[in-house]
């Protein structure tokens, strides 16, 4: 596989300015000049120290969650995720998010992917993905407006969530993380 195209120099940034700032997001405009001389204005959503996604596995079941997704204006099936706080390692953030969102800690974290992106053409977010095992009850108070429902899914059910065309698991990051987790435990 020849990946040399990923090594070419990115466009020159001629200018950068904050376009819009909300309570959560900053939209930045970049004036770019590409190597062929073409100029363009791009926008990106910035901020944060990255995020984590946790795939809790108790040895028999994956623990998925049902949480309100504002973008869909409904509930979405997925995994524990959250931002990495300033000064926190991805591993510390993963355990904290598990404890806050579903009331479990994990003694064993396996990094499945150093970073995963979603919509990298416009979103700066980089997510660290962990398979979380050796779970134990441990509840911290989080920032969720309501309790998150836990949905236990067997290994076979998890495979169905991946490969069923009408699967309720629709979020691309969760699909990718579940596939990596099933591979890690030797199920696919």
């Amino acid at each position: 596989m020849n990946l040399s195209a990923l090594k070419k120099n990115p466009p020159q940034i001629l200018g950068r300015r904050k376009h819009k700032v909300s309570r959560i997001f900053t939209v930045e405009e970049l004036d770019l000049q590409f190597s062929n001389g073409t100029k363009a204005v791009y926008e990106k959503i910035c901020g944060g120290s990255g995020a984590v996604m946790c795939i809790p596995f108790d040895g028999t079941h994956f623990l998925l969650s049902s949480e309100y997704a504002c973008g869909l204006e409904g509930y979405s099936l997925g995994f524990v995720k959250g931002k990495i706080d300033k000064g926190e390692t991805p591993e510390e953030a993963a355990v904290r998010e598990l404890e806050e969102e579903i009331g479990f800690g994990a003694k064993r974290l396996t990094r499945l992917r150093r970073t995963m992106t979603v919509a990298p053409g416009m979103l700066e977010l980089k997510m660290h993905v962990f398979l979380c095992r050796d779970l134990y009850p441990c509840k911290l108070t989080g920032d969720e407006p309501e309790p998150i429902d836990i949905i236990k899914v067997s290994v076979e059910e998890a495979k169905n969530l991946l490969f069923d065309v009408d699967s309720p698991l629709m979020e691309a990051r969760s699909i990718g993380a579940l596939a990596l987790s099933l591979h890690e435990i030797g199920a696919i």
Side-chain angles (χ1 to χ4, degrees):
M1 170 180 352
N2 181 353
L3 298 176
S4 61
L6 296 173
K7 300 285 187 198
K8 74 182 193 182
N9 290 329
Q12 181 182 0
I13 299 173
L14 303 174
R16 177 190 305 259
R17 66 202 152 277
K18 288 182 181 176
H19 181 61
K20 297 216 186 271
V21 178
S22 79
R23 182 175 56 82
I24 300 172
F25 302 109
T26 298
V27 177
E28 195 174 72
E29 277 187 342
L30 283 81
D31 300 316
L32 302 175
Q33 182 170 354
F34 290 81
S35 61
N36 64 1
T38 302
K39 292 183 179 179
V41 177
Y42 276 47
E43 291 182 348
K44 73 174 184 175
I45 300 171
C46 326
S49 304
V52 294
M53 178 176 281
C54 309
I55 296 72
F57 182 63
D58 68 8
T60 305
H61 294 92
F62 290 98
L63 306 182
L64 283 85
S65 56
S66 173
E67 187 173 9
Y68 182 73
C70 187
L72 298 177
E73 297 181 12
Y75 287 85
S76 178
L77 185 62
F79 290 103
V80 168
K81 53 191 148 315
K83 68 183 183 91
I84 300 170
D85 290 338
K86 190 174 176 84
E88 196 174 40
T89 67
E91 291 82 2
E92 290 167 339
V95 172
R96 177 185 50 74
E97 287 292 339
L98 277 173
E99 293 172 354
E100 288 177 357
E101 290 194 11
I102 64 168
F104 284 96
K107 294 178 184 172
R108 186 164 51 133
L109 300 177
T110 303
R111 186 183 289 273
L112 298 173
R113 186 61 61 117
R114 188 162 311 283
T115 55
M116 185 182 282
T117 63
V118 60
M122 63 180 190
L123 187 59
E124 189 178 64
L125 178 70
K126 292 181 181 174
M127 182 163 275
H128 303 260
V129 182
F130 295 96
L131 177 61
C132 304
R133 293 181 272 197
D134 298 338
L135 305 176
Y136 58 91
C138 183
K139 181 70 177 154
L140 287 178
T141 301
D143 58 2
E144 285 69 37
E146 66 180 356
I148 295 173
D149 291 315
I150 298 172
I151 299 167
K152 286 187 169 189
V153 174
S154 71
V155 171
E156 279 308 309
E157 291 168 326
K159 290 179 192 178
N160 290 336
L161 287 174
L162 283 185
F163 300 114
D164 179 354
V165 69
D166 294 316
S167 174
L169 184 63
M170 298 184 296
E171 185 199 14
R173 295 175 299 175
S174 291
I175 293 167
L178 183 56
L180 293 169
S181 296
L182 285 166
H183 181 266
E184 177 67 26
I185 66 168
I188 60 172

